Amino acid sequence: MINKLKNYWEIFIIFLLSLTPLTWFKDGQIILGHDSGFRLNYLDHLHNLFYSWSSANNFGADWTILKGFLITQAPETFFSWLFNSLAIGEKISFVLWFFIIGVSMYIFVKNFFPQKKFWIFRLFSSTFYMYNFFLLQGWFIAERAKFSLFAVIPLGTLLIYKTLTKEYPILKGAILFSLISFLLNAGGNPTFYGALILVYGITFIYLTIINTLRNGYWEIVYSLKLGIAFTAAFLAVNAYWILPQIYLLLNSYGSNLVTVGGIGGVIGWESVVTKNASFINLLRLQGMPDWYNNNLHPYSFIFIKNPFLIISSFIFPLILLFGLFYHQHLSIEKKTIKLIILLIFLLLFGFIFTAGSHPPLGFLYILFIKYIPGFAVFRSAFYKFGEVLWFSYIILLGFYLNLLLLKFVKSKRLYIFLGAFSIFFLLIYHSPFFNGKFFVWNAPFTTKVTVPYYVNDMANYINKLPTDTRILLLPEIDSQFHADSYNWGFMSLDLLPRLFTNRSIISNTSKDRDIISAIYRAINQDSERDFLQLVNLAGINKILWRGDILYSDKKTNEKSFSQGKNNLENFKEVLVEKKSGAWKLYSIASAGHIPSFYAPENFAYSYSQTLSSWEIFNNKSIGVKPAIVFADPATDKLQGLSSFYYINIVEADCVLCKPNELRDLKDKVKIPYVSLLPDSPFYFLISSKENNVRNLYKNLPSQRVDFDISTASKRIAEIIQIAGRDFNKDTSEELIIKTIGNYKLLINDAVQQSNLLQKDIKNSTLVKILSYLDAHQTFLASIDNKHGLAEKELEELSIFMQEYISGLLDGKIWMTTSYRDKIVYTVNLKSAGSYDLTIKDSDVTPTKIQIDGKYVSDLSNIYLTARSHKLALIYPVSDSLLTTSGKLNGVIDLNFNENAEFGIKNFQENNEYLISFDYKVNDGRLKLAIAENGRIGKDRLIKMDNSNPWNKFSYVYKPTKGTTSVLLKFFPASYGISGTSFELRNITVIKSFTPLVVLSRTVSVTNRNTPDIHFQKINPTKYVVRIAHASYPYILSFQEAYNRGWKAYIADSNSFPEEDHFEINGYANAWLIKQKGDYNIIVEYYPQRSFYIGIAISTATLFSYMVFYLFKKYEKNRK
Amino acid sequence: MKKIASSISFAKHNFIKYQAFTLFSILILGALFLLSHLPYFSIFLSVDNIINIYWIIVVLIFWPPVKFSFVLGIIFSLLACFFLILSQDAIAERSGNIIYFLIVTGFLQTLINHLRKESS
């Protein structure tokens, strides 16, 4: 028995090391938040994962992508359920993950190196595989998908290797391979499969080549058989998550690539992630993106800066290099050479892929992204392929370390000592694993939290509410990062209430809808009428106030939202239902609550997507079941829908009405870096490409203008680069002159093409041209023409630009030029009729209103034709709101400790202010600071430019929430004792506002009778709706988020055509239904069907494995 | 005196022995250096790339012992360590690039030697 146990001492050590997570937690602490994915309602969550639709996510969302977590999150759910404690469940599952990772590596090494002398190799590799910084950056959120991937790589590779070398029959290999892929599925996240494809692919190709060279071409057939068997078994067992994802991919109606900014955005992101993935960092098993330039990182600084740790980090490449150096002299068995060569191949490819777009081989990765379809999903190369590098490197290090020790250490005791020391060194070097500080990723925000009692108390209460309860969060979440964060350390994009309940939680997340913004706005503006109409339309019946929030800026807390809270508590229909600690639950007592399914009686049709639509809609809506539809090409064409409208809403577009809007547009214009200049022998490629695009857009003026102005930016880049270079000076001048000529042709063409555009597009296109010209002129002014080339032509080019700019500004573009007295709009009407004009968001009434140059006195029943119209609001010139006790005109001298300050009259935190003045700095440097409540934030410190004699300054100041007093201070910017002298003139502070101008037309429609509707929820993806007395066509609205996956059909017949399915109320599904009479409609989320098919295949496959196993066992026993 | 004479003799002998290599190296490095100052070539001919290209050419033509690549790798590792301690990260990064290519060339040499040995 003891002898038998002795055989397992290495596994026992791995187990002991796996107990590390037990040291991380104090009583009651759990991992929660960030991207950890842990839930306080773990059982409900696992149950919900069976469905492809989650109703908790605002108005509902598809979460097909999470199907793989049914297995990955099963351990923690099981242990939490078993011990009725998430804390214990987490601890046990963490130990389990640690152990699985270590043991998988152990099995791999043991299979190839079972001899006793290789104990150092086995333990060193297993320990290193458990304790490394790549995994540690996943441990702060206990990234189970990554752990699963880490654990499966050695086992999967081993099975492919053993089967290709014919140690296992194909069937056995395929079954085992699919089983381990089932249990360790990397969370079913396809992007993680990049590493697996790379490791398995290289192993497969490498061994196929070797087998073919040794035994002939039949080996290719054998490998193909193996490949097919392994792939089929993998697909069959994992069909439950693969099929739904394939369905999603085939039916994804918008490219995911677009959401990440196209290929350019992917490459940009990739370069950020792999910025520090240099070969020198990867050789030392470092380069983690979050380590660098991050003062908040709990341990990276010491590893980057401490000389002792830098030297220690070089032990790894040195072991590898010494190992390779002595490779031929080490006693390597012939059969293991094949494996070592494979591992070196994996290592070398691992370097290239983990480094991603980082030089020197980053261009390869960029080519893959650009030209291999679908490769863009691996846009975070370091995270997606790092596993390949760590896996191969760690095994090679263990191998060479062991062999070097065997070669050079003759004493057995010293051998044991050095072996033990190397493992001890690994643990010491990775000491951050033991202190648990790595959970604090941005103090006070951490993933290791103690959940306050009141959160659990409120969670228990909310979980007892009806399942169709919809809860609005207040205060709204941080709109900058869209994270839900609290003063007790929790922060996550996954909102805290969604981690403890299945009830629908509504908040302003990144994918929020206008209706949500409109609700928050109604609360802040103390408008109970708007609030009630909107919450009814959104199906919201509760509000959860969290009085312990802390924004990511670590300053904004619940006090900043006290005004909104007071407004809410003063609403008559809002009552406190439950109070616990810092949290309060309010109920909205309203008779107008709209159920999940209803047939709207009246429609508003809006050509605006902004809040104004809601406000006009609220003012004009009639009946208890209203609805609003926002125009888009689909609903515009929907036959029969127009007979339901009673009001048309059109919002006028304000043209450059924010004071800095033109400047912002100009700032967005970037001058690219051009790698080929016109004298390059390869420039013909550029010219040819440009000609092709120009021809393509021959009859498309809008696209042609875009092409012209973006190409003009390239010409400017060429001029700048030619003027700045030190070679080919003789030809450079001629080249600049020629390029200037090309530039002028492009701009002339852009303006000509704009004349071909329709009136409504023409104006915005001219604005675009203006912003480009303005930007080009600025870039040209900063040119470094060190050789004085083509100075006259450059001067002429500047004049050419200025003439165009002046021409455009001088009335050619319909735009706001004076923010103090005239704001202009354009509005494009689709239908003629009498419109009411509404002006919102302004407490100042315009003195005059112009439409198409004519003054309008009565704002109702204005007859307008169906075309583009010009509107102008004319205001009295605003008085400056500047208040000052000191001198703010003429020359001002300030010593180093002095400042000149002014305030804002009648200051209100909800207003925006335009601060403008001319200034001249005579001496020293000058800064302007905006002090809010006596404090100056970093973003409120403005350095004044002193490059010109007189400079213009204009700044739109939007106060921070909670600001009650504000002072604007001029002070010397220099350090030390120097002061400043400057002059000011025309200093003004005015309230900046952009009124919403909305035109609405009421259409009289016959009031229709709507059918009686009752419904039953079968599960989150299926509802049965009973329709009675349908005597006219009607609209069936379903209050879950619009998604084309939702289908409605009458039982035993085809679903209603997709053309009749559209979005309503800014978020919900609606179908135009023409069937009359009484019947049942099934509303179903179709992607769920692919899961049912997938899980049937997976279950049948696993069952067949079991039958096969029992049969084999029976056969063996019979023999 | 004898020692000096023997050292001179050793140096002379080795110079003659490796003069083709030395001349070749000077030529290649010189050519690459000149190229690196020409437009467009300057984009990719950084110091580390010059060394990498040079070493690949040397390996292809002279087929030095495999160990050379790894010894150079060890030397560059020590240099990189030194530069990192001095916070000269950019130089250390270039050294890292060279180490990678030295491992690649050394490994490919080992592999080819191994295949030659097996086939013979």
Side-chain angles (χ1 to χ4, degrees), chain B residues 32-51:
Chain B
L32 287 170
F33 180 76
L34 284 176
L35 270 178
S36 72
H37 281 74
L38 290 180
Y40 307 110
F41 287 97
S42 58
I43 298 168
F44 63 92
L45 276 183
S46 53
V47 178
D48 46 328
N49 281 349
I50 289 177
I51 295 173

Side-chain angles (χ1 to χ4, degrees), chain A residues 103-207:
Chain A
V103 151
S104 73
M105 176 55 92
Y106 181 80
I107 292 170
F108 182 88
V109 180
K110 176 101 178 172
N111 255 281
F112 292 100
F113 301 91
Q115 300 92 326
K116 207 177 168 187
K117 63 179 179 180
F118 285 119
W119 68 268
I120 296 176
F121 181 11
R122 288 189 292 271
L123 274 184
F124 181 88
S125 303
S126 305
T127 310
F128 206 170
Y129 207 52
M130 289 192 283
Y131 291 89
N132 58 70
F133 292 124
F134 188 82
L135 267 191
L136 187 56
Q137 51 101 14
W139 266 113
F140 92 101
I141 50 166
E143 205 177 349
R144 280 89 77 209
K146 182 179 274 176
F147 302 158
S148 174
L149 178 65
F150 237 69
V152 80
I153 288 178
L155 300 176
T157 313
L158 176 69
L159 287 167
I160 293 174
Y161 195 99
K162 292 279 175 184
T163 317
L164 270 171
T165 50
K166 299 179 184 118
E167 287 180 55
Y168 292 165
I170 290 182
L171 190 61
K172 181 184 173 184
I175 290 175
L176 289 175
F177 179 80
S178 63
L179 279 177
I180 60 123
S181 309
F182 174 76
L183 295 170
L184 302 167
N185 65 6
N189 183 345
T191 63
F192 273 142
Y193 278 74
L196 286 180
I197 292 167
L198 193 65
V199 176
Y200 295 168
I202 291 173
T203 309
F204 181 81
I205 293 166
Y206 168 75
L207 290 173

Side-chain angles (χ1 to χ4, degrees), chain A residues 676-688 690 715 718:
Chain A
L676 294 176
L677 292 175
D679 58 349
S680 159
F682 302 108
Y683 194 76
F684 71 94
L685 294 170
I686 304 278
S687 306
S688 158
E690 285 178 4
R715 294 296 96 85
E718 287 167 3

Side-chain angles (χ1 to χ4, degrees), chain A residues 321 325 329 348 358 675 727, chain B residues 39-40 67 71 77 84 93 100:
Chain A
L321 285 161
F325 180 81
H329 305 286
L348 297 178
H358 194 98
S675 46
F727 54 89
Chain B
Y40 307 110
K67 287 183 174 184
V71 167
S77 294
L84 273 181
E93 186 174 334
Y100 176 77

Side-chain angles (χ1 to χ4, degrees), chain A residues 1022-1056:
Chain A
K1022 196 170 183 180
Y1023 296 79
V1024 177
V1025 187
R1026 278 184 279 284
I1027 304 291
H1029 315 305
S1031 46
Y1032 296 95
Y1034 63 97
I1035 302 292
L1036 177 67
S1037 172
F1038 171 44
Q1039 307 290 68
E1040 288 288 315
Y1042 173 78
N1043 186 303
R1044 289 179 71 184
W1046 283 106
K1047 307 280 179 197
Y1049 57 93
I1050 295 174
D1052 302 326
S1053 65
N1054 290 335
S1055 60
F1056 295 118

